[in-house]
Amino acid sequence: MEEKDVGKLIQTSAEVHEASALPCARVVHTAPDAPRTAEMQPLPDSVAAQPIEEKSPAQWAYERLILYIRNFEEQLDDEHEVAMGFVGGDTGVLRIEGLGYFDPDIITFYGAGEDGVRMQLIQHVSQLSVMLRAMPKAPEVQEPRRIGFRLVSALERDKQADG
């Protein structure tokens, strides 16, 4: 190994600590022109600013769900909104209107079913399994509602208030 290569293997303790705090994400697709995914995008400052080890499992799951929802919505046309299909059950689809967490380990989805009936899913992070679906926007709504943008904005406001 050449001397210049050895230098690349040596890290300061600060670099090792920083690398351990950064999340690792990866995605591979069969199609070279596959849409950009949440794993491919940099974390917003509001998410990256707080070290992972200081976050509860609920907060960390909440923040990453927001990134997945925002990315999914970016690929929708103006006739569709994001909804959530339930995995492993026959309870239908929830049009996502809100997302929350309760430390240390609960994630909550708020919304309405396809029939307009109010729904709420309360889930432990160890059981988290979410399928995002495109659902036609409600006929009475002129523009599709984009919850992902609002969720990211809320993260940024919360970070500014804390900071």
Side-chain angles (χ1 to χ4, degrees), residues 1-10:
M1 189 179 300
E2 293 183 26
E3 186 175 322
K4 65 180 181 177
D5 293 332
V6 172
K8 293 178 184 176
L9 300 175
I10 299 172

Side-chain angles (χ1 to χ4, degrees), residues 24-44:
C24 180
R26 182 181 172 114
V27 64
V28 176
H29 282 278
T30 57
D33 60 344
R36 188 173 170 146
T37 67
E39 298 91 352
M40 296 173 171
Q41 298 183 31
L43 288 176

Side-chain angles (χ1 to χ4, degrees), residues 141-152:
V141 177
Q142 189 110 17
E143 304 256 336
R145 293 172 284 196
R146 298 290 187 235
I147 186 75
F149 174 77
R150 289 185 181 137
L151 290 167
V152 170

